[in-house]
C-alpha cells in the first residue's frame, strides 16, 4: 500500500463521513472535525487498514492529511512481518 493510496483513502473517508467534496478536502492543510465525525473517520480507517491508531481517544480534533498519511503508512509498514 503506497502513501498516495493511503492519502486518497483518508480523503475518501473524510468525504464519505462529512459529505464534503474531494476537491475541498484535498486542498485543506488541516482538517477539523466534530466529535461524531472524528470517531467515524478514525473507526473506518482503523477497520479498513486493520490497525489501531490511538486517534479515537485523542482530545485533538484536527489533523494534517499529510502527517496522518505518513503516520498510517509507518504503522502499516511496522505491522508487516518479513
Amino acid at each position: 500500500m503506497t502513501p498516495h493510496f493511503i492519502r486518497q483513502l483518508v480523503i475518501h473517508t473524510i468525504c464519505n463521513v462529512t459529505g464534503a467534496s474531494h476537491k475541498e478536502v484535498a486542498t485543506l492543510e488541516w482538517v477539523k472535525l466534530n466529535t461524531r465525525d472524528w470517531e467515524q473517520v478514525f473507526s473506518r480507517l482503523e477497520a479498513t487498514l486493520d490497525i489501531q491508531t490511538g486517534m479515537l481517544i485523542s482530545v485533538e480534533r484536527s489533523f494534517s492529511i499529510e502527517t496522518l498519511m505518513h503516520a498510517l503508512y509507518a504503522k502499516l509498514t511496522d505491522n508487516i512481518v518479513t
Side-chain angles (χ1 to χ4, degrees):
M1 193 171 297
T2 67
H4 177 74
F5 179 83
I6 294 169
R7 184 177 192 285
Q8 293 304 312
L9 176 63
V10 169
I11 292 168
H12 176 78
T13 303
I14 294 166
C15 292
N16 278 345
V17 169
T18 66
S21 72
H22 181 276
K23 185 176 181 176
E24 177 185 354
V25 172
T27 60
L28 293 174
E29 188 170 329
W30 280 89
V31 177
K32 184 168 176 71
L33 300 171
N34 63 40
T35 299
R36 181 203 161 278
D37 289 348
W38 181 271
E39 291 171 353
Q40 286 292 310
V41 166
F42 283 96
S43 291
R44 291 177 188 198
L45 287 173
E46 287 182 356
T48 301
L49 299 172
D50 193 27
I51 59 173
Q52 296 270 337
T53 64
M55 297 295 287
L56 279 170
I57 59 172
S58 173
V59 294
E60 183 65 34
R61 296 291 187 251
S62 64
F63 59 92
S64 157
I65 292 174
E66 292 300 311
T67 301
L68 178 60
M69 172 198 66
H70 291 294
L72 293 174
Y73 182 73
K75 184 79 169 171
L76 287 169
T77 55
D78 284 348
N79 289 339
I80 295 174
V81 177
T82 55

